[in-house]
């Protein structure tokens, strides 16, 4: 019998690996007002909104005033009925349709609406996660969001495959705007950020760590992120968040390079990217060796420096190809470069899914690209006389798609 080829062994391992999706914006059905699924949500993904507005003049105001179904129909008309849906996000819709056995070209948006569930229940969630080959999804949990806060305060049960991550953006990026909500939640904080106020912020975070039991804390930061920083956000990060994360052994996820609201008329679709300095990150990793940092950079130009920095610091775990980088060609380039510089010691990908069914196309694509890159790398090892067997491949693939993340969390 012929031995399976390296490409077959890699293909099998990557196709069958059970993924932990370490950063999403998904919620379980029990968080009903936040949970997003179904055809209209798939079509109104902010990636597609930005693309639809490129196809010709249109009023953003009118778009935002249109009910969800009408928005979805408009986007469908613009992106699928005139030109071919060639972009990553647009072709993703086809891949979702195919997974549900919908011929979207023949059946249109209504066909997709019939197959996908707009108000997901737990069974549907399990079905979609299984289709995507994902065991668990990590959420983005913001205690400053009043709707979300209510679910946590009511101790609404989570679906067992949803894991929490405590998101701290408002606290670090807009400290002046959290003073009043913190005070109304019973934490005595003022703009001066006195020692007493810092103790109160710490108490707030302790309470939410206790309530959410997150696997990490997270912040997204602008390309201009500086550290240390004498502003209130910088001081909260240094004096409260870092010590607390170290004490609880919680990694801090830093997602750097998001330039928010470059075009506010597009709302969530109006954010962009910018190249960041690596020096704040070096400083954090070096001066806070008791802390662990999960890091994703948004600009393509930062990818190489991030991996060089990861070579210097074991407490830095690079993760994912974020947002505008999550395309076939860029995931390939970045994954190849990461393997060449640090071997399989990173988290290959996260989905950033906002709508449940996104998991299907995003993970299918990431698997394909990673398989392509790995096949090439193992074939090189074989040329040097190294025996590449299925078991070794499975171990590496599992590391990249789930184990590295969980080991880092547990470290
Ligand atoms: O800050 C984030 O977590 C970003 O991923 C999102 O804000 C962004 O809108 C997104 O969905 C990217 O994929
Ligand atoms: Zn995100």
């Amino acid at each position: 019998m012929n031995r399976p080829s390296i490409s077959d062994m890699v293909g099998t391992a990557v196709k069958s690996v059970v993924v932990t999706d370490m950063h999403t914006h998904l919620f379980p059905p029990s968080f009903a007002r936040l949970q997003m699924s179904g055809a209209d949500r798939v079509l109104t993904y902010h990636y597609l909104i930005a693309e639809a507005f490129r196809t010709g003049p249109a009023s953003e105001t009118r778009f935002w005033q249109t009910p969800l179904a009408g928005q979805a129909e408009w986007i469908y008309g613009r992106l699928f009925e005139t030109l071919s849906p060639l972009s990553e996000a647009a072709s993703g819709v086809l891949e979702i349709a195919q997974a549900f056995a919908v011929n979207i070209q023949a059946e249109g948006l209504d066909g997709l609406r019939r197959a996908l569930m707009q108000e997901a229940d737990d069974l549907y969630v399990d079905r979609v996660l299984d289709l995507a080959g994902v065991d668990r999804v990590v959420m983005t949990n913001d205690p400053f969001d009043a709707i979300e806060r209510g679910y946590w305060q009511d101790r609404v049960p989570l679906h067992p495959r949803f894991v929490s991550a405590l998101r701290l953006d408002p606290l670090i990026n807009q400290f002046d705007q959290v003073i009043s909500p913190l005070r109304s939640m019973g934490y005595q904080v003022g703009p001066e950020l006195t020692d007493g106020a810092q103790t109160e912020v710490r108490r707030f975070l302790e309470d939410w760590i206790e309530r959410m039991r997150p696997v990490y804390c997270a912040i997204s930061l602008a390309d201009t992120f500086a550290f240390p920083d004498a502003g209130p956000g910088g001081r909260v990060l240094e004096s409260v968040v870092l010590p607390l994360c170290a004490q609880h052994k919680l990694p801090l996820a830093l997602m750097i390079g998001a330039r928010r609201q470059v075009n506010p008329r597009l709302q969530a679709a109006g954010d962009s990217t910018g190249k960041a300095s690596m020096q704040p990150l070096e400083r954090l990793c070096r001066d806070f060796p008791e802390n662990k940092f999960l890091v994703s950079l948004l600009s393509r130009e930062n990818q190489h420096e991030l991996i060089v920095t990861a070579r210097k610091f074991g407490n830095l775990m690079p993760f994912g190809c974020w947002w505008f980088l999550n395309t076939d060609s860029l995931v390939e380039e970045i994954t190849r470069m990461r393997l060449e510089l640090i071997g399989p010691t990173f988290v290959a990908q996260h989905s950033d899914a906002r709508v449940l069914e996104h998991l299907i196309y995003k993970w299918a694509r990431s698997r394909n690209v990673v398989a392509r890159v790995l096949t090439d790398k193992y074939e090189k090892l074989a040329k040097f006389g190294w025996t590449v067997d299925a078991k070794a491949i499975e171990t590496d693939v599992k590391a990249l798609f789930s184990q590295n993340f969980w080991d880092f969390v547990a470290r």
Side-chain angles (χ1 to χ4, degrees):
M1 216 174 74
N2 285 343
R3 288 195 49 213
S5 68
I6 285 180
S7 144
D8 288 345
M9 287 192 288
V10 172
T12 306
V14 172
K15 210 176 267 171
S16 56
V17 68
V18 180
V19 168
T20 290
D21 194 340
M22 61 147 292
H23 171 57
T24 75
H25 296 264
L26 300 177
F27 289 95
S30 53
F31 284 47
R33 290 173 68 193
L34 300 173
Q35 192 280 329
M36 290 212 280
S37 60
D40 290 345
R41 292 293 184 193
V42 166
L43 262 298
T44 53
Y45 190 20
H46 66 68
Y47 292 26
L48 293 175
I49 293 174
E51 291 170 30
F53 273 102
R54 292 198 45 72
T55 58
S59 154
E60 293 92 350
T61 314
R62 186 159 351 123
F63 175 81
W64 294 115
Q65 284 167 351
T66 305
L68 183 73
Q71 290 181 346
E73 280 150 23
W74 180 75
I75 291 174
Y76 190 80
R78 287 236 158 168
L79 294 180
F80 295 82
E81 288 180 347
T82 315
L83 296 171
S84 306
L86 287 167
S87 78
E88 199 79 24
S91 59
V93 178
L94 310 188
E95 205 163 342
I96 293 171
Q98 193 175 49
F100 283 86
V102 173
N103 178 345
I104 196 164
Q105 233 168 344
E107 300 173 55
L109 179 53
D110 279 335
L112 198 61
R113 282 175 170 150
R114 284 190 291 274
L116 274 50
M117 208 168 173
Q118 181 140 0
E119 277 163 34
D121 57 22
D122 284 358
L123 273 179
Y124 182 74
V125 165
D126 283 327
R127 180 175 165 214
V128 174
L129 263 65
D130 292 344
L131 274 172
V134 171
D135 63 350
R136 277 167 289 180
V137 293
V138 181
M139 301 175 281
T140 297
N141 300 112
D142 178 2
F144 290 102
D145 180 304
I147 297 174
E148 178 166 3
R149 194 164 63 234
Y151 288 113
W152 290 103
Q153 283 167 336
D154 292 347
R155 304 213 172 263
V156 168
L158 287 177
H159 183 288
R161 291 164 83 172
F162 285 68
V163 176
S164 100
L166 174 54
R167 184 79 173 229
L168 304 175
D169 284 28
L171 196 60
I172 306 300
N173 294 327
Q174 295 151 309
F175 186 77
D176 52 329
Q177 287 175 39
V178 299
I179 296 170
S180 147
L182 280 171
R183 291 178 78 89
S184 53
M185 286 184 257
Y187 302 93
Q188 297 317 309
V189 172
E192 296 77 34
L193 204 67
T194 56
D195 287 354
Q198 288 184 24
T199 307
E200 283 293 272
V201 173
R202 193 181 173 110
R203 187 167 70 81
F204 165 76
L205 290 175
E206 291 274 13
D207 289 347
W208 281 95
I209 288 172
E210 164 72 22
R211 194 169 278 138
M212 286 178 177
R213 305 234 163 254
V215 285
Y216 61 80
C217 296
I219 320 168
S220 85
L221 297 152
D223 54 324
T224 51
F225 171 56
F227 185 87
D229 175 12
R235 283 161 58 216
V236 169
L237 176 60
E238 184 164 358
S239 311
V240 183
V241 174
L242 289 169
L244 199 65
C245 284
Q247 182 198 322
H248 288 268
K249 296 193 183 308
L250 284 171
L252 180 61
L254 302 172
M255 304 173 66
I256 309 171
R259 296 181 57 231
R260 301 289 181 186
Q261 296 300 280
V262 165
N263 180 358
R265 288 194 299 277
L266 289 182
Q267 299 193 9
D271 297 343
S272 190
T273 175
K275 187 178 186 299
S277 163
M278 219 47 49
Q279 289 176 26
L281 188 57
E282 290 169 359
R283 187 84 188 247
L284 283 164
C285 293
R286 186 181 60 235
D287 295 353
F288 296 85
E290 301 302 317
N291 282 91
K292 305 178 276 186
F293 300 96
L294 288 157
V295 182
S296 215
L297 273 288
L298 190 53
S299 124
R300 180 189 187 186
E301 289 68 28
N302 274 139
Q303 299 309 312
H304 182 248
E305 313 173 83
L306 170 63
I307 301 308
V308 172
T309 310
R311 289 175 65 89
K312 312 296 146 198
F313 300 104
N315 59 343
L316 192 173
M317 174 63 76
F319 76 91
C321 302
W322 180 21
W323 201 342
F324 313 111
L325 300 174
N326 192 357
T327 69
D328 199 88
S329 61
L330 294 176
V331 175
E332 169 149 7
E333 166 184 304
I334 293 166
T335 306
R336 195 174 279 282
M337 185 267 294
R338 288 177 177 173
L339 281 172
E340 286 160 2
L341 281 169
I342 56 172
T345 65
F346 57 97
V347 177
Q349 189 55 307
H350 67 273
S351 75
D352 238 307
R354 281 183 179 259
V355 180
L356 181 64
E357 295 89 350
H358 284 163
L359 293 172
I360 293 169
Y361 87 89
K362 292 194 182 226
W363 281 109
R365 282 160 190 214
S366 301
R367 284 178 207 263
N368 264 336
V369 180
V370 174
R372 207 153 68 215
V373 175
L374 281 175
T375 299
D376 186 33
K377 295 296 173 198
Y378 287 121
E379 279 172 353
K380 275 201 185 113
L381 298 191
K383 264 194 211 140
F384 303 139
W386 183 266
T387 306
V388 179
D389 63 24
K391 184 131 191 15
I393 293 175
E394 273 165 32
T395 305
D396 297 336
V397 168
K398 188 171 174 202
L400 289 167
F401 283 93
S402 121
Q403 201 61 45
N404 287 344
F405 170 68
W406 288 114
D407 287 351
F408 195 71
V409 166
R411 206 187 266 185

